[in-house]
Amino acid sequence: MIRVMLADDEAMVRAGVRAILGTDDEIEVVAEAADGIEAVEAVRRHRPDVAVLDIRMPRMDGLAAGAEIRRTVPETAVVILTTFSEDAYIARALGDGASGFLLKSGDPRELISGLKAVAEGAAYLSPKVAQRVIAELSAGAGGGAMARAAAAKEQVAVLTPRELEVLGLVGAGLSNAEIAGRLYLVEGTVKAYVSAVLLRLGVKNRVQAAIVAYEAGLVTG
């Protein structure tokens, strides 16, 4: 059972997300919070597998709450629930250890699969969110998007063809199990590939690896 803490200042949004998660027998919402401070306290009290955080909340926003959760309860993974109007904030969460970025307007199945992937230790970026993150990072970088793309292509040049395949699927938000099914490999082999890719790219986590994959043009669709 995947235990989830859900934080959003809008009760109707929390109810909707809870209803979606309630359709899956493997997910249980164990706590809710209406602001960031409540979210941190709820995580400390209930120790859920995943904390789902809205960005804009009173008293403490979701980004600050996520950073505090990762610092004090590192076994709880953090997923940011976002809208396109909040793109500028998403990049900040990357360095704070968030494992997932999901859209409130996205497919309910994406929410469920994303939480399952994160609970398994993977990362999950809604493809649309990842594309917007790349655009935001590129806009703020010296040299612009073309320079970032060139740097990313040089960065991934050290990877083998199979590692490039794996990186592209990580960038598309697939879990290890899904990558294994796509490439006809056992899951343990995929985990080894992912670990090798992170090491060779010099990135901290799958989220950062996914960004490199997008910038290098390895993710299609």
Side-chain angles (χ1 to χ4, degrees):
M1 181 68 70
I2 299 170
R3 303 172 70 252
V4 174
M5 190 287 300
L6 176 61
D8 195 296
D9 61 330
E10 297 185 33
M12 189 172 294
V13 172
R14 293 201 309 273
V17 174
R18 177 189 276 273
I20 291 169
L21 299 182
T23 63
D24 193 291
D25 293 337
E26 298 178 4
I27 299 176
E28 177 187 10
V29 176
V30 297
E32 293 186 23
D35 62 52
I37 292 177
E38 287 184 9
V40 173
E41 292 173 349
V43 168
R44 289 173 176 166
R45 186 179 311 116
H46 296 278
R47 304 280 167 160
D49 300 302
V50 183
V52 180
L53 307 173
D54 182 27
I55 291 182
R56 294 183 180 176
M57 293 188 292
R59 297 207 293 169
M60 177 186 286
D61 67 32
L63 299 180
E68 181 66 11
I69 289 168
R70 293 299 299 151
R71 186 181 70 82
T72 59
V73 192
E75 62 270 26
T76 295
V78 170
V79 169
I80 301 296
L81 201 58
T82 184
T83 65
F84 277 160
S85 64
E86 297 160 339
D87 291 344
Y89 299 103
I90 302 174
R92 176 181 147 195
L94 293 175
D96 292 331
S99 297
F101 297 93
L102 294 164
L103 289 175
K104 289 182 179 179
S105 59
D107 189 321
R109 293 171 296 182
E110 184 177 272
L111 175 62
I112 292 173
S113 60
L115 291 189
K116 287 185 175 181
V118 168
E120 292 172 1
Y124 190 97
L125 290 85
S126 164
K128 291 181 180 179
V129 170
Q131 289 168 355
R132 299 297 284 264
V133 171
I134 297 307
E136 180 67 30
L137 293 177
S138 298
M146 290 182 66
R148 291 187 65 84
K153 288 177 180 178
E154 182 177 347
Q155 192 174 3
V156 303
V158 300
L159 303 180
T160 66
R162 179 62 93 182
E163 287 171 344
L164 287 171
E165 279 187 294
V166 171
L167 177 59
L169 295 175
V170 168
L174 274 65
S175 68
N176 286 348
E178 290 169 330
I179 294 173
R182 185 76 61 88
L183 299 180
Y184 303 102
L185 299 171
V186 297
E187 190 170 347
T189 300
V190 172
K191 290 181 180 179
Y193 273 123
V194 171
S195 296
V197 166
L198 297 183
L199 181 63
R200 288 158 74 86
L201 292 180
V203 297
K204 295 180 180 179
N205 54 43
R206 292 173 70 119
V207 175
Q208 294 178 356
I211 289 176
V212 173
Y214 269 91
E215 291 180 332
L218 298 177
V219 183
T220 59

